[in-house]
């Protein structure tokens, strides 16, 4: 997209390339502007905000011409830093322009700016010499040409050299020739024959005029001395000579040879060659010998001047001359390495940077021509970056793959640019990129499971052990904090057992542990980094409580009582190895702290008994004799294997006798604890009293309940109140036929008291009559016969439906009455019958 904008007398051109945020602006300004003059409002022309220029750290890259233009970021203006002289900067090259780039960061943007320097008429045409002398024979024919020195005007266009004038013009006229390079050369042509006798010296004024405003001019004085006859001028063999010389050729290199001949003889035929009407710079580079050899006299550079046009003049001794042109093309050689200029570069980039992100922009140029000026750029291998060409001379360094600071935290990227000349020339520059950290790694524990041991009875607050987690990130993202996950051990929060130091990971015991209560427990620990958002990982920690010998052995058998005397009996016929008894003991500790050993500490007769070291068995070690005392007292000590060891003692009384009376007679003399016997008697009396009270209370309650029931039956029997039907929940009547459950249980309760005997009768699902358990009937009949009371027989009443059940209670209270409760399953109600003759009804 191309846009032209006029600002005052200046023209502003806009180029916009729809690629990588790159735009171009062209300004046109005249030369010789004073320092601080405005070039253009770059912020407005590029559509940028002043804040963007400051935030993006706007800066100018101009290469070798950095002293001419400056950027005012506060106002967004381009201004003149130093006065620009177009002639010094570009000489005759058109157009003359300064190329610069304005770079912004975050995001990276590049704007190309071209400042074209227009010419003003600040230079007047000037001749190399203030005067020129000619010696012309009076016999010179009309039309003879005399080459005049060329005036030099550094300006170009209309401001450059436009015309010459020669005064007075009595004998000579001026002819101006336009050259292919835009210059003008003048020849003085004789139009009137000279007469030395009339005028031996002629003075002319040659004026060179430019076309600027105001018009400027330069003059040169021409002095002509009229000589005597020389009527033949030298003549060149060809009007134009062409040659080629390679740049950087050594001084003294022969470029070409010109040749001119003169028909005269003698001294008038001798020809000499000079380089005419050329600037001093030409004379410093080229030199012509008397033989017409054009020789290189100074350094020549293709990048400065690609072609030279030299006017060569051949002059004889008579002053006659001829001229020709020597056109010299400068051949380019690959003598310039590529020039790399970093426009914008990031010092540090994040490791989470996406692929194809621009991290640096550079301009690369090669002043050589054709293939020798074509440049290829590459970077060192095995880096996650690549270099791309974004325009004719701009290259971008972009990310190629994902970055990982934990693998490589810094990259030294060498950009090498090579041309295609022979031999190939290259140059390189190294960029250092720091990779900034992103929190993309969670802390990692050194182990997947930690196990630690702590001895019981520890001091609260003691350090158990230390966990360690490492985070591959850097700085704050790698700062690890340790947290205790919420959990419980046996219903108690784990925080009441242990605590963890958030910074160091040291785990402390909060309480003193008891191995006999808890042997081990485990909990979850979290390591969390300081990133945003934070990352974390968990690990399981298992704490194992180590046993300490803090519990003495406990003797389970024989049981030691305060005042009673327990003795083991050994018959006098016992053989060697006879098992008297076994001491049984336990130790609640574990491991070797619970290994028990038994030793005989004291004994009435050590030669008679021994104790098994491991099993605690007391055995005889010799035959028992009549001389052995009946009463034997053994003291056995039980020790564990802890350090230091703990022990318990037990006294075992052994009676050596064949009969129990003998033992009693011997052991009655043993002292008893009087206080213990008194207490025992008290407790026995107290227990007997309590049992007697409870028995009497229960008896009274039972009698009261029986009387209460009897009175209720009598009240119900004599009352004429209507009977409220009672419908059991599992009984129903269907069409008046009645139903009963299919399963019945026969329950018989028998006591020695016939008034407390009770019988519940039922039927099976397929039976239609009610029968009693034969055993129950026989028992009741036996009781009734014994007491001469009621005789219980099979009951079959035709007045009652078959689906009735009967509950019979026999009450003997002066007269025999049987209460029969009948409940109809169909819900007709409940009837009570007082039967005076139960044998007849049942």
């Amino acid at each position: 997209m191309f846009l032209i904008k006029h600002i005052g007398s200046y023209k502003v051109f806009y180029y916009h390339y729809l690629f990588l945020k790159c735009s171009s602006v062209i300004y046109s300004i005249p030369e010789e502007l004073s320092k601080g003059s405005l070039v253009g409002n770059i912020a407005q022309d590029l559509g940028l905000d002043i804040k963007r220029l400051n935030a993006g750290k706007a800066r100018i890259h101009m290469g070798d011409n950095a002293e001419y233009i400056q950027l005012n970021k506060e106002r967004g203006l381009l201004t003149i830093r130093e006065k620009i002289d177009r002639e010094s900067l570009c000489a005759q090259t058109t157009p003359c322009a300064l190329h610069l780039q304005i770079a912004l960061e975050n995001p990276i943007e590049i704007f190309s700016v071209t400042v074209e320097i227009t010419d003003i008429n600040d230079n007047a045409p000037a001749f190399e010499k203030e005067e020129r002398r000619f010696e012309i024979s009076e016999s010179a024919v009309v039309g003879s040409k005399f080459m005049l020195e060329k005036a030099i005007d550094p300006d170009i266009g209309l401001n450059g050299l436009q015309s010459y004038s020669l005064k007075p013009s009595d004998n000579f006229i001026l002819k101006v020739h336009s050259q292919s390079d835009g210059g003008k050369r003048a020849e003085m042509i004789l139009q009137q024959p000279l007469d030395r006798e009339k005028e031996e010296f002629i003075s002319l004024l040659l004026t060179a005029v430019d076309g600027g405003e105001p018009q400027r001019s330069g003059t040169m004085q021409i002095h002509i001395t009229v000589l005597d006859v020389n009527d033949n001028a030298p003549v060149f063999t060809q009007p134009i000579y062409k040659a080629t010389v390679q740049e950087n050729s050594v001084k003294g290199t022969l470029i070409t040879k010109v040749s001119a001949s003169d028909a005269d003889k003698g001294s008038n035929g001798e020809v000499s060659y000079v380089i005419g009407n050329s600037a001093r710079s030409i004379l410093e580079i080229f030199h012509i010998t008397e033989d017409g050899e054009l020789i290189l006299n100074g350094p020549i550079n293709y990048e400065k001047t690609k072609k030279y046009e030299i006017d060569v003049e051949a002059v004889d001794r008579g002053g006659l001359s001829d001229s020709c042109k020597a056109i010299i093309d400068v051949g380019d050689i690959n003598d310039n390495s590529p020039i790399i200029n970093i426009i914008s570069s990031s010092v540090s980039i994040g490791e989470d940077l996406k692929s194809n992100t621009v991290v640096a922009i550079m301009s690369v140029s090669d002043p050589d021509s054709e293939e020798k000026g074509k440049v290829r750029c590459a970077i060192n291998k095995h880096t996650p970056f690549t270099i791309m060409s974004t325009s004719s001379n701009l290259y971008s360094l972009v990310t190629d793959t994902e970055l990982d600071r934990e693998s490589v935290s810094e990259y030294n990227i060498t950009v090498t640019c090579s041309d295609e000349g022979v031999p190939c020339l290259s140059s390189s520059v190294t960029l250092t990129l720091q990779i900034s950290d992103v929190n993309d790694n969670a802390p990692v524990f050194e182990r997947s499971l930690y196990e630690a041991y702590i001895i019981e009875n520890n001091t609260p607050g003691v350090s158990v052990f230390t966990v360690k987690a490492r985070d591959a990130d850097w700085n704050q993202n790698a700062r690890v904090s340790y947290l205790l996950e919420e959990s419980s051990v046996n219903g108690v929060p784990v925080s009441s057992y242990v605590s963890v130091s958030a910074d160091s990971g040291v785990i402390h015991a909060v309480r003193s542990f008891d191995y006999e209560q808890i042997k081990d427990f485990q909990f979850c620990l979290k390591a969390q980094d300081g990133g945003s958002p934070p990352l974390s990982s968990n690990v399981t920690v298992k704490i194992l409580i180590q046993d300490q010998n803090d519990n003495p052995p406990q003797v389970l058998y024989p049981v030691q009582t305060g005042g009673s005397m327990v003795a083991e009996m050994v018959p006098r016929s016992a053989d060697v190895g006879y098992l008297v008894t076994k001491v049984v003991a336990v130790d609640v500790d574990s491991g070797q702290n619970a290994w028990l050993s038994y030793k005989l500490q004291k004994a009435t007769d050590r030669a008679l008994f021994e104790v098994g070291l491991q099993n605690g068995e007391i055995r005889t070690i010799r035959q028992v004799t009549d001389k052995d005392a009946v009463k034997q007292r053994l003291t056995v000590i039980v020790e564990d294997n802890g350090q230091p060891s703990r022990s318990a003692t037990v006294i075992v009384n052994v009676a050596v006798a064949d009969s129990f009376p003998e033992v009693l007679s011997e052991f009655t003399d043993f002292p008893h604890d009087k206080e213990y016997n008194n207490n025992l008697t008290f407790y026995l009396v107290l227990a007997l009293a309590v049992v007697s009270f409870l028995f009497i209370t229960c008896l009274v309650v039972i009698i009261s309940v029986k009387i209460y029931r009897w009175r209720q039956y009598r009240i119900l029997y004599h009352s004429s109140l209507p009977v409220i039907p009672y419908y059991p929940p599992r009984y129903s009547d269907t069409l008046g036929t009645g139903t009963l459950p299919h399963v019945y249980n026969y329950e018989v309760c028998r006591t020695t008291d016939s008034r407390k005997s009770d019988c519940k009768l039922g039927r099976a699902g397929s039976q239609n009559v009610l029968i009693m358990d034969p055993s129950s009937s026989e028992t009741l009949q036996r009781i009734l016969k014994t007491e001469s009371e009621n005789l219980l027989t099979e009951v079959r009443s035709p007045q009652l439906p078959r689906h009735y059940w009967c509950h019979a209670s026999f009450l003997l209270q002066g007269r025999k009455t049987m209460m029969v409760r009948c409940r109809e399953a169909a819900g007709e109600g409940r009837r009570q019958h007082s039967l005076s003759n139960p044998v007849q009804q049942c």
Side-chain angles (χ1 to χ4, degrees):
M1 186 170 62
F2 176 78
L3 178 64
I4 304 176
K5 181 179 179 182
H6 292 274
I7 304 177
S9 61
Y10 305 149
K11 292 184 293 180
V12 182
F13 301 86
Y14 295 84
Y15 292 90
H16 183 63
Y17 298 95
L18 299 177
F19 187 73
L20 282 181
K21 279 285 189 179
C22 183
S23 300
S24 295
V25 178
I26 299 178
Y27 293 103
S28 180
I29 62 172
E31 62 174 329
E32 301 297 333
L33 287 178
S34 61
K35 183 178 180 180
S37 298
L38 175 66
V39 176
N41 191 332
I42 190 64
Q44 177 181 345
D45 296 337
L46 291 177
L48 297 174
D49 189 74
I50 300 299
K51 296 180 179 178
R52 172 63 179 134
L53 292 177
N54 290 278
K57 300 179 181 179
R59 55 188 181 276
I60 292 180
H61 297 272
M62 293 185 62
D64 297 334
N65 300 316
E67 71 274 10
Y68 294 116
I69 304 295
Q70 63 184 358
L71 173 63
N72 187 336
K73 291 190 288 185
E74 285 72 24
R75 300 175 61 189
L77 303 178
L78 289 179
T79 58
I80 299 297
R81 174 180 290 180
E82 293 291 339
K83 185 181 292 186
I84 302 175
D85 184 10
R86 193 203 65 81
E87 288 74 24
S88 300
L89 183 64
C90 300
Q92 296 297 312
T93 302
T94 58
C96 180
L98 295 175
H99 300 279
L100 56 99
Q101 289 88 25
I102 296 179
L104 299 178
E105 297 179 358
N106 299 320
I108 294 177
E109 294 180 286
I110 301 300
F111 301 94
S112 297
V113 179
T114 301
V115 180
E116 183 178 344
I117 311 301
T118 60
D119 185 45
I120 63 173
N121 192 23
D122 58 337
N123 293 283
F127 293 92
E128 184 71 21
K129 300 177 181 179
E130 294 181 356
E131 62 180 16
R132 176 76 184 273
R133 296 184 179 275
F134 290 92
E135 292 180 352
I136 303 174
S137 174
E138 65 178 345
S139 61
V141 297
V142 175
S144 297
K145 300 177 182 180
F146 301 93
M147 181 69 64
L148 298 179
E149 183 178 351
K150 185 177 180 181
I152 303 300
D153 192 337
D155 297 326
I156 60 173
L158 292 176
N159 295 326
L161 179 65
Q162 297 295 319
S163 63
Y164 293 93
S165 63
L166 183 65
K167 293 180 180 181
S169 57
D170 296 335
N171 299 100
F172 297 90
I173 62 173
L174 191 65
K175 186 175 181 179
V176 179
H177 299 276
S178 297
Q179 296 180 316
S180 60
D181 59 356
K184 297 179 184 298
R185 66 183 179 88
E187 288 181 337
M188 186 175 61
I189 301 175
L190 183 63
Q191 65 174 353
Q192 295 290 338
L194 298 176
D195 188 356
R196 189 186 66 81
E197 287 73 23
K198 288 183 178 180
E199 189 175 11
E200 185 177 359
F201 301 98
I202 301 173
S203 295
L204 303 175
L205 183 64
L206 180 62
T207 305
V209 181
D210 61 23
E213 290 292 336
Q215 192 177 55
R216 294 177 180 270
S217 61
T219 59
M220 183 179 66
Q221 195 73 34
I222 300 176
H223 300 282
I224 300 174
T225 301
V226 180
L227 301 177
D228 201 8
V229 176
N230 182 23
D231 53 357
N232 290 292
V235 177
F236 280 98
T237 57
Q238 59 189 59
I240 297 175
Y241 291 86
K242 292 184 177 182
T244 301
V245 61
Q246 297 294 328
E247 65 173 331
N248 297 335
S249 296
V250 297
K251 183 178 180 180
T253 300
L254 175 62
I255 301 173
T256 187
K257 184 177 182 178
V258 298
S259 177
S261 60
D262 194 325
D264 293 328
K265 292 184 178 180
S267 60
N268 291 330
E270 295 178 0
V271 178
S272 59
Y273 302 93
V274 293
I275 296 175
N277 62 17
S278 295
R280 179 176 298 175
S281 59
I282 299 295
L283 298 177
E284 292 176 352
I285 298 175
F286 301 100
H287 168 68
I288 192 168
T289 65
E290 293 181 354
D291 298 332
E293 293 180 348
L294 190 61
I295 297 173
L296 186 63
N297 193 41
I300 190 171
N301 193 342
Y302 172 85
E303 286 71 37
K304 291 185 177 181
T305 305
K306 298 177 176 60
K307 183 172 67 173
Y308 293 91
E309 293 185 3
I310 303 174
D311 295 321
V312 180
E313 185 177 3
V315 182
D316 61 13
R317 292 291 181 89
L320 299 178
S321 65
D322 191 12
S323 64
C324 70
K325 183 178 291 294
I327 299 176
I328 301 172
D329 292 320
V330 179
D332 185 31
I333 63 173
N334 192 27
D335 60 341
N336 292 281
S337 300
I339 301 172
I340 303 174
N341 184 22
I342 304 298
I343 297 177
S344 179
S345 176
S346 300
V347 178
S348 176
I349 58 177
E351 63 176 321
D352 59 344
L353 206 64
K354 296 181 179 179
S355 297
N356 298 322
T357 301
V358 178
V359 297
I361 293 181
M362 61 198 75
S363 64
V364 182
S365 61
D366 193 326
D368 294 325
S369 63
E370 299 177 349
E371 298 298 324
K372 295 180 287 292
K374 293 182 179 180
V375 179
R376 292 186 306 242
C377 292
I379 62 174
N380 46 322
K381 297 180 180 179
H382 309 297
T383 61
F385 301 94
T386 186
I387 191 167
M388 300 172 55
S389 176
T390 57
S391 63
S392 59
N393 64 338
L394 289 180
Y395 288 83
S396 297
L397 184 66
V398 300
T399 56
D400 188 30
T401 58
E402 294 183 353
L403 305 176
D404 187 8
R405 190 206 65 83
E406 289 69 39
S407 298
V408 181
S409 61
E410 180 182 281
Y411 289 94
N412 292 319
I413 305 171
T414 301
V415 180
T416 303
C417 296
S418 306
D419 59 26
E420 297 183 5
V422 179
C424 174
L425 298 179
S426 64
S427 57
S428 61
V429 64
T430 300
L431 301 177
T432 300
L433 291 179
Q434 300 287 340
I435 308 301
S436 61
D437 186 45
V438 174
N439 191 28
D440 57 347
N441 291 279
V444 178
F445 284 96
E446 295 176 347
R447 286 185 281 177
S448 59
L449 174 66
Y450 286 91
E451 286 189 355
Y453 296 87
I454 183 172
I455 300 176
E456 64 173 333
N457 303 321
N458 59 284
T459 304
V462 69
S463 172
V464 181
F465 77 110
T466 302
V467 296
K468 190 68 176 178
R470 301 186 182 276
D471 196 317
D473 294 321
W474 182 74
N475 206 357
Q476 183 67 24
N477 295 330
R479 183 174 297 172
V480 180
S481 299
Y482 301 92
L483 304 173
L484 197 62
E485 291 283 10
E486 292 293 335
S487 61
S488 61
V489 178
N490 298 330
V492 179
V494 72
S495 58
S496 64
Y497 284 87
V498 293
S499 66
V500 62
S501 174
D503 296 328
S504 63
V506 178
I507 297 177
H508 299 273
V510 176
R511 62 167 61 177
S512 178
F513 296 108
D514 187 358
Y515 176 83
E516 286 70 38
Q517 293 182 0
I518 181 171
K519 293 179 173 55
D520 62 74
F521 64 93
Q522 65 182 22
F523 56 91
C524 191
L525 201 63
K526 180 171 73 173
Q528 179 175 290
D529 61 26
S532 180
L535 300 178
S536 63
S537 60
N538 295 338
V539 71
T540 300
V541 180
K542 186 174 184 181
I543 304 295
L544 302 173
I545 313 300
Q546 291 183 328
D547 185 40
Q548 196 175 36
N549 192 25
D550 57 343
N551 293 282
Q554 297 177 359
V555 178
L556 302 180
Y557 184 83
V559 179
Q560 302 292 295
T561 59
S564 62
M565 180 64 63
V566 179
E568 302 291 340
M569 180 177 283
V570 178
R572 293 188 179 276
S573 60
D575 294 331
V576 176
Y578 177 81
L579 177 61
V580 178
T581 186
K582 181 176 181 179
V583 177
V584 180
V586 295
D587 194 325
V588 295
D589 293 326
S590 65
Q592 67 178 8
N593 294 328
W595 295 353
L596 301 179
S597 60
Y598 303 86
K599 298 178 182 178
L600 186 61
Q601 186 180 31
K602 294 180 181 180
T604 303
D605 188 355
R606 282 186 172 271
L608 182 57
F609 301 100
E610 69 175 357
V611 179
L613 181 64
Q614 302 297 332
N615 52 24
E617 294 180 350
I618 300 177
R619 295 179 180 270
T620 59
I621 58 177
R622 63 175 175 81
Q623 181 71 39
V624 180
T625 64
D626 294 337
K627 295 180 179 181
D628 293 326
V630 176
K631 295 183 291 184
Q632 296 286 337
R633 185 182 181 91
L634 308 178
T635 303
V636 179
I637 183 170
V638 183
E639 291 184 342
D640 58 25
N641 198 35
Q643 292 295 331
S645 64
R646 292 177 176 267
S647 63
T649 58
V650 61
I651 298 175
V652 180
N653 295 310
V654 180
V656 180
D658 292 328
S659 62
F660 188 70
E662 184 181 357
V663 174
L664 290 178
S665 63
E666 290 294 335
F667 280 86
T668 53
D669 297 336
F670 274 56
H672 295 278
D673 192 343
K674 184 176 182 181
E675 181 181 357
Y676 173 76
N677 293 334
N678 293 336
N679 292 336
L680 180 60
T681 303
F682 171 75
Y683 290 131
L684 288 176
V685 172
L686 180 62
L688 182 59
V690 171
V691 171
S692 301
F693 174 76
L694 293 177
F695 173 75
I696 295 172
T697 303
C698 292
L699 187 60
V700 172
V701 171
I702 292 173
I703 294 173
S704 301
V705 171
K706 287 295 183 179
I707 295 173
Y708 173 77
R709 286 183 178 178
W710 175 77
R711 294 188 64 184
Q712 291 295 324
Y713 280 127
R714 289 188 60 82
I715 294 172
L716 182 63
Y717 174 74
H718 291 289
S719 67
S720 59
L721 296 174
V723 179
I724 299 174
Y726 171 72
Y727 302 97
R730 296 182 61 195
Y731 294 83
S732 63
D733 186 17
T734 304
L735 299 176
T737 60
T739 61
L740 285 173
H742 296 288
V743 180
Y744 282 84
N745 294 325
Y746 300 91
E747 298 181 8
V748 178
C749 299
R750 298 184 291 271
T751 65
T752 56
D753 186 358
S754 62
R755 291 175 296 179
K756 297 180 181 179
S757 297
D758 197 8
C759 174
K760 294 181 181 179
L761 304 177
R763 67 174 178 82
S766 60
Q767 294 178 354
N768 296 324
V769 295
L770 300 175
I771 62 175
M772 297 182 63
D773 186 3
S775 62
S776 302
S777 300
E778 294 175 359
T779 304
L780 290 176
Q781 289 177 10
R782 185 174 64 252
I783 296 172
L784 292 177
K785 287 179 180 180
T786 304
E787 298 177 352
S788 301
E789 298 291 347
N790 298 324
L791 177 63
L792 182 62
T793 59
E794 180 179 350
V795 179
R796 191 165 194 174
S797 177
Q799 299 176 0
L800 298 175
R802 65 177 60 183
H803 294 295
Y804 278 63
W805 60 274
C806 298
H807 178 69
S809 298
F810 300 94
L811 303 175
L812 300 179
Q813 298 177 358
R815 66 173 180 166
K816 303 333 182 258
T817 304
M818 180 176 69
M819 300 296 294
V820 181
R821 299 176 193 170
C822 300
R823 180 175 298 158
E824 184 179 6
E828 293 181 358
R830 182 176 61 189
R831 300 176 182 176
Q832 293 187 356
H833 301 276
S834 177
L835 303 179
S836 59
N837 190 355
V839 177
Q840 180 183 357
Q841 298 297 327
C842 295

